[in-house]
């Protein structure tokens, strides 16, 4: 190595060292700390701690392709940026399997001064393109520096559960590690820290968003938590309802196939009944149940009087659906599943996909039982799960996974904001659980006014898991969060549109407010609605 190169690398090392020791100084230095900038290509030379940078390359403006599953869908036009990929804690783990926290970061040339951690999904295990695409347009295109990661293992199934460290990384640790490394890379590249840091994710990613606001209170200024799986490893709604559906499902190869428990027409009948009983509760028959909390329906109304036709459902089907909606108790009468709201999304493909269709991990039949219902056990059979005794076995995983803390003093004091959303028809993580948690959060943080000054919940009628449903599910929470954090302008409503109702826009209101028609003007126009 020539002397000049050695000196150059020494300089880069110094830069990173300065960046890494910056946190303590930041409290005492007024004005932003400046670091020597490191060129994109030179970031790869930063081999530090247990971080290996695999590549750092300039990307011209143009389409970005996913390295993950949904390549075609995720292809977007990105602005010119620096792409950095790397791995933290690379190692060989249990079963001689390679592990590591793989990450990808995209640093746009036209940077807006903000950092965004894009949360994962499912059991993680893939590195999605770091474009900041969760809800709304990709954040990278808006000038955010974005990071994504695989949470410490590769592969979207539960088999990483055999490796203690892989579990820990998935449960909570990788989010902290990647936060620290991403912020340091960002500081090295731009020569300064981000002005503001955000986290946005849905489902598992929504859990991660809540997790970082609860466990890394000073690292993030704002988080968007969509349909959060914040009680993963704790809640039994999924298992309770899937057991009810398994009970009535026809057997295929000796196993219940819940996809065949209801025809599409059966589910449309149920959605139709719910709409008939509840659409007008908000004062307007428009295909949207804004007053879903008041919606109560007797599914038994649909039971066939004689032979099953496509105009009615069987008693067994009705009972299974009531088990889903009503939740249930163990044999001693202790409540173990809160159930789900009656809402219109049940007739939609996304509901079936999540609740009934047996496709690998996205599997209503056996919701990740080997990971969340017991200490890791690849042979675990959820049919043998004993609702009286076995919830105790969930404590080890649940206590590390759960993201339902209400202690927010440090997060609040530094101005942090939490924007939560969910579909009222989410069949995975029950909106009832989320609302109960939100009530607890608000109560523990000074009541309605003070609580809502930093945490707001938006419930989208008809929307299933993260998107889809009979819903206006196309909204953009990130700018609303940024305005709240940076301009102290709390989101009084989010404006939304969606393909089931072409040409329509509506407000989504901060819970417990609901959208109401003002009484005049087009019912397709959000301006003619208000939050009450
Ligand atoms: C999800 O991220 O979509 C997910 C995670 C765990 C269980 C079910 C869904
Ligand atoms: Ca209505």
């Amino acid at each position: 190595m020539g002397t000049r190169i050695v000196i150059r690398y020494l300089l880069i090392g110094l830069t990173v060292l300065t960046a890494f020791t910056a946190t303590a100084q930041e409290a005492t230095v007024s004005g932003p700390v400046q670091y020597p900038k490191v060129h994109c290509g030179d970031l790869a030379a930063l081999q530090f701690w247990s971080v290996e940078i695999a590549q750092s390359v300039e990307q011209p403006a143009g389409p970005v392709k996913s390295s993950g599953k949904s390549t075609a869908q995720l292809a977007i036009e990105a602005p010119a940026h620096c792409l950095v990929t790397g791995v933290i804690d690379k190692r060989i783990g249990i079963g001689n399997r390679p592990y590591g926290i793989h990450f990808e970061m995209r640093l746009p040339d036209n940077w807006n001064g903000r950092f965004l951690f894009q949360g994962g999904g499912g059991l993680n295990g893939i590195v999605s393109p770091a474009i900041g695409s969760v809800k709304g347009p990709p954040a990278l295109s808006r000038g955010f520096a974005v990071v994504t990661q695989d949470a410490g293992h590769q592969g979207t199934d539960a088999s990483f559960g055999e490796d203690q460290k892989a579990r820990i990384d998935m449960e909570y640790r990788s989010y902290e590690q990647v936060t620290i490394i991403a912020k340091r890379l960002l500081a090295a590249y731009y020569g300064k820290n981000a002005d503001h840091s955000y986290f946005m994710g849905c489902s598992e990613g929504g859990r991660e968003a809540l997790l970082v606001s609860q466990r890394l209170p000073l690292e993030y200024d704002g988080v968007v938590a969509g349909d959060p799986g914040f009680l993963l490893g704790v809640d039994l709604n999924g298992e309770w309802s899937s057991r009810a559906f398994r009970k009535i499902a026809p057997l295929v190869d000796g196993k219940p196939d819940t996809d065949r428990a209801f025809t599409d027409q059966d589910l449309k009948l149920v959605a139709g009944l719910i709409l008939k009983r509840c659409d007008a509760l908000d004062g307007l028959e428009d295909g949207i149940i804004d007053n879903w909390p008041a919606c109560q329906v007797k599914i038994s109304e649909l039971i066939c009087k004689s032979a099953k036709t496509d105009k009615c459902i069987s008693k067994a089907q009705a009972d299974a659906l009531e088990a889903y909606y009503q939740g249930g108790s163990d044999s001693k009468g202790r409540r173990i599943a809160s159930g789900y709201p009656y809402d219109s999304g049940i007739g939609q493909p996304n509901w079936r996909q999540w609740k009934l269709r047996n496709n690998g991990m996205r599997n209503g039949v056996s919701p990740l039982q080997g990971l969340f219902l017991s200490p890791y056990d690849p042979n675990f059979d959820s049919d043998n799960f004993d609702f009286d005794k076995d919830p105790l076995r969930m404590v080890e995983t649940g206590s590390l996974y759960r993201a339902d803390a209400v202690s927010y003093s440090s997060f609040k004091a530094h101005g942090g904001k939490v924007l939560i959303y969910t579909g009222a028809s989410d069949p995975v993580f029950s909106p009832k659980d989320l609302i109960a948690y939100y009530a607890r959060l608000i109560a523990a943080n000074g009541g309605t006014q003070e609580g809502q000054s930093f945490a707001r919940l938006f419930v989208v009628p008809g929307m299933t898991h993260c998107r889809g449903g009979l819903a206006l599910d196309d909204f953009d929470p990130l700018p609303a969060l940024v305005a709240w954090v940076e301009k102290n302008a709390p989101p009084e409503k989010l404006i939304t549109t969606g393909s089931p109702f072409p040409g329509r826009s509506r407000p989504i209101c901060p819970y417990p407010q609901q959208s109401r028609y003002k009484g005049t003007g087009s019912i397709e126009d959000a301006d003619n609605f208000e939050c009450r």
Side-chain angles (χ1 to χ4, degrees):
M1 214 188 270
T3 322
R4 275 180 53 199
I5 296 179
V6 171
I7 290 173
R8 187 162 173 221
Y9 281 5
L10 275 175
L11 268 174
I12 293 169
L14 198 66
T15 306
V16 173
L17 217 61
T18 332
F20 268 84
T21 49
T23 319
Q25 300 172 16
E26 278 157 23
T28 53
V29 174
S30 59
V33 183
Q34 299 286 331
Y35 312 112
K37 290 186 190 180
V38 178
H39 290 294
C40 182
D42 290 338
L43 288 171
L46 307 179
Q47 311 294 339
F48 44 84
W49 291 347
S50 57
V51 186
E52 281 177 31
I53 308 291
Q55 58 166 343
S56 60
V57 281
E58 312 237 10
Q59 302 284 293
V64 174
K65 288 259 162 23
S66 164
S67 51
K69 291 190 277 194
S70 11
T71 312
Q73 268 174 314
L74 286 171
I76 62 141
E77 290 289 317
H81 62 276
C82 172
L83 166 68
V84 188
T85 62
V87 57
I88 306 166
D89 290 352
K90 191 172 167 185
R91 71 199 167 88
I92 301 297
I94 302 301
N96 217 22
R97 187 171 150 180
Y99 283 100
I101 305 168
H102 301 86
F103 63 89
E104 170 178 314
M105 189 162 195
R106 294 181 189 259
L107 302 141
D109 297 1
N110 198 0
W111 185 42
N112 67 11
R114 302 184 181 101
F115 165 60
L116 178 74
F117 193 141
Q118 172 186 335
L123 294 178
N124 283 319
I126 50 169
V127 183
S128 294
I131 56 177
S133 168
V134 174
K135 206 62 164 169
L140 179 66
S141 306
R142 297 167 158 184
F144 286 77
V146 183
V147 76
T148 53
Q149 59 130 2
D150 65 6
H153 61 276
Q154 301 219 290
T156 56
D157 62 80
S159 58
F160 72 89
E162 68 182 354
D163 186 286
Q164 179 191 4
K165 174 167 157 53
R167 293 181 75 111
I168 289 169
D169 284 338
M170 173 69 199
E171 285 155 350
Y172 62 90
R173 187 174 176 275
S174 64
Y175 318 104
E176 177 163 16
Q177 294 295 298
V178 172
T179 295
I180 293 167
I181 300 307
K183 285 189 174 192
R184 292 329 184 210
L185 282 170
L186 180 151
Y189 183 63
Y190 292 117
K192 68 188 268 293
N193 294 320
D195 301 325
H196 293 98
S197 297
Y198 297 94
F199 197 112
M200 174 158 74
C202 201
S203 193
E204 158 61 20
R207 178 188 79 91
E208 295 164 10
L210 288 178
L211 194 84
V212 300
S213 68
Q214 293 162 13
R215 300 197 201 176
L216 305 175
L218 300 184
E219 295 293 350
Y220 287 93
D221 302 302
V223 305
V224 175
D227 297 71
F230 72 110
L231 294 178
L232 275 169
V234 178
D235 113 88
L236 284 167
N237 262 318
E239 180 51 27
W240 180 264
S241 52
S242 79
R243 184 170 297 192
F245 294 142
R246 289 203 297 274
K247 215 167 94 187
I248 63 158
L251 299 184
V252 174
D253 298 332
K255 290 211 170 110
D257 182 357
T258 50
D259 202 18
R260 301 185 192 198
F262 301 91
T263 63
D264 287 344
Q265 174 59 20
D266 293 337
L267 297 178
K268 291 246 181 277
L269 281 176
V270 177
L273 176 69
I274 293 173
L275 273 167
K276 195 161 139 195
R277 294 280 169 268
C278 300
D279 189 349
L281 291 177
D282 54 31
L284 184 67
E285 263 184 76
D286 59 347
I288 297 178
I289 304 174
D290 281 301
N291 195 1
W292 56 268
C295 180
Q296 289 298 327
V297 174
K298 282 198 164 48
I299 303 297
S300 57
E301 282 186 45
L302 291 172
I303 296 175
C304 302
K305 306 278 183 290
S306 50
K308 167 92 175 77
T309 68
D310 61 7
K311 302 259 173 337
C312 59
I313 63 174
S314 71
K315 173 157 189 328
Q317 287 177 313
D319 288 348
L321 285 167
E322 286 296 12
Y324 164 73
Y325 285 117
Q326 298 293 330
S329 305
D330 68 9
S331 74
K332 299 193 176 58
R334 291 174 298 208
R335 193 88 182 133
I336 52 165
S338 61
Y340 293 79
Y342 295 96
D343 188 36
S344 62
I346 184 165
Q348 301 297 310
N350 190 281
W351 191 95
R352 170 180 292 281
Q353 185 69 27
W354 280 105
K355 205 67 199 172
L356 303 176
R357 191 153 283 167
N358 184 355
N359 80 357
M361 111 95 212
R362 301 193 183 284
N363 173 356
V365 182
S366 43
L368 313 178
Q369 67 271 54
L371 199 66
F372 293 124
L373 295 187
S374 74
Y376 179 69
D377 176 359
N379 301 314
F380 183 83
D381 178 354
S382 58
D383 280 326
N384 296 331
F385 186 84
D386 181 331
F387 286 115
D388 283 342
K389 296 200 301 257
D390 285 339
L392 271 180
R393 303 177 68 211
M394 297 164 67
V395 169
E396 178 175 335
T397 301
S399 62
L400 296 174
Y401 248 95
R402 68 190 308 164
D404 62 339
V406 295
S407 302
Y408 267 88
S409 58
S410 305
F411 184 80
K412 255 168 71 183
H414 97 276
K417 311 291 184 218
V418 184
L419 193 161
I420 310 170
Y421 67 83
T422 188
S425 285
D426 187 333
V428 185
F429 305 123
S430 174
K432 286 192 180 181
D433 288 335
L434 187 59
I435 284 160
Y437 165 63
Y438 184 67
R440 233 170 17 90
L441 178 67
I442 293 297
N445 285 280
T448 306
Q449 213 180 343
E450 204 182 315
Q452 292 198 346
S453 73
F454 86 101
R456 293 192 179 200
L457 166 64
F458 294 84
V459 183
V460 187
M463 188 171 87
T464 48
H465 191 53
C466 295
R467 62 189 65 83
L470 191 62
L472 298 168
D473 64 338
D474 198 357
F475 54 95
D476 191 7
L478 189 56
L481 178 68
V482 167
W484 196 6
V485 166
E486 298 179 21
K487 301 207 176 91
N488 207 17
E492 305 300 354
K493 60 186 171 190
L494 301 172
I495 299 298
T496 190
T497 57
S499 56
F501 302 97
R504 180 175 284 185
S505 62
R506 289 291 169 84
I508 319 168
C509 303
Y511 183 87
Q513 291 191 339
Q514 297 170 6
S515 163
R516 288 289 184 276
Y517 183 47
K518 290 191 218 162
T520 53
S522 165
I523 66 155
E524 306 305 326
D525 185 348
D527 279 350
N528 300 322
F529 289 76
E530 63 190 359
C531 291
R532 275 187 222 157

